Amino acid sequence: PKRDTTKALANGNQRSLREQYALHERTFLMRIPGNSVLLGKTLAETRLGSALGLTVYAVIRKRKTQLAPDPQIILQANDRLLIGGRLDKLYELRNWRELRIEADEFSIETLVSDEIELAEVRLSTDSRLAGRALFQTEFQQKFGLNVLAIRGKNVIKRTNLSGIMLNPGDRLL
């Protein structure tokens, strides 16, 4: 969406960050049916991220939510996945029997607790992360944080984040 992101930055609260990065526009809840070929595979083995450009924000299993799931989590029948990604990729999955869409435009706010907040950080000009792809920085392992989006020069990227080269001044959600 075309919008002026500089105004939202001045306010920096949770709502403006969600709106600025348009998280609600690309977040969906999907369920793994009992006959899926994904059963027994790790999240990494499914290649949902690398092959389809989708990001799994959470795995919901038996009323327990694991935010930022470990790529080695083994998927089970009726697991629900909170997925972010491009609409065209989601529509490709509509007829795929391995995942069933339960809710379009699922609200990530239902999973956010008092312990989990959104924050935006800006890479400084001398950042050691600059010039490296996000996956090379081991951001999640080093800082215990998940990157949901990257905003560069007037461009917000929400999918295929792991391969994006970071630059000084980039903002990470």
Side-chain angles (χ1 to χ4, degrees):
K2 293 181 180 180
R3 61 180 76 138
D4 183 2
T5 59
T6 56
K7 290 180 183 175
L9 279 178
N11 189 348
N13 65 31
Q14 297 292 296
R15 185 174 184 89
S16 67
L17 285 174
R18 285 185 192 103
E19 290 171 359
Q20 176 186 344
Y21 285 92
L23 292 181
H24 63 283
E25 294 177 11
R26 297 170 184 242
T27 308
F28 309 92
L29 189 64
M30 305 188 90
R31 184 180 58 79
I32 300 176
N35 61 347
S36 174
V37 296
L38 302 178
L39 297 179
K41 293 187 177 183
T42 66
L43 198 53
E45 289 171 335
T46 67
R47 301 192 65 223
L48 286 172
S50 59
L52 297 174
L54 302 172
T55 302
V56 179
Y57 296 132
V59 173
I60 304 164
R61 179 180 293 158
K62 298 179 184 175
R63 298 182 190 224
K64 291 186 180 180
T65 301
Q66 181 182 356
L67 287 169
D70 184 318
Q72 298 309 311
I73 188 171
I74 297 173
L75 298 178
Q76 299 177 4
N78 296 314
D79 278 354
R80 296 164 63 210
L81 308 179
L82 180 61
I83 295 177
R86 293 181 11 205
L87 288 174
D88 59 333
K89 294 297 181 184
L90 177 76
Y91 292 133
E92 286 178 23
L93 294 179
R94 280 201 186 273
N95 296 323
W96 193 38
R97 65 184 180 100
E98 309 313 324
L99 287 171
R100 299 242 169 83
I101 298 170
E102 284 196 354
D104 290 1
E105 297 186 26
F106 184 81
S107 174
I108 199 167
E109 284 84 358
T110 61
L111 298 178
V112 176
S113 70
D114 292 337
E115 300 170 6
I116 300 169
E117 294 188 21
L118 297 176
E120 183 181 62
V121 297
R122 184 181 58 82
L123 294 184
S124 63
T125 54
D126 60 345
S127 173
R128 291 181 288 156
L129 303 179
R132 299 168 67 195
L134 183 60
F135 81 90
Q136 293 172 322
T137 67
E138 297 180 340
F139 196 88
Q140 183 180 20
Q141 295 84 354
K142 286 183 181 177
F143 304 110
L145 302 171
N146 296 299
V147 178
L148 301 178
I150 299 173
R151 185 165 64 89
K153 296 178 183 178
N154 299 321
V155 176
I156 296 175
K157 297 175 183 166
R158 297 177 202 86
T159 58
N160 297 325
L161 298 180
S162 64
I164 292 176
M165 205 60 82
L166 300 175
N167 297 301
D170 281 353
R171 295 178 185 269
L172 309 177
L173 180 67

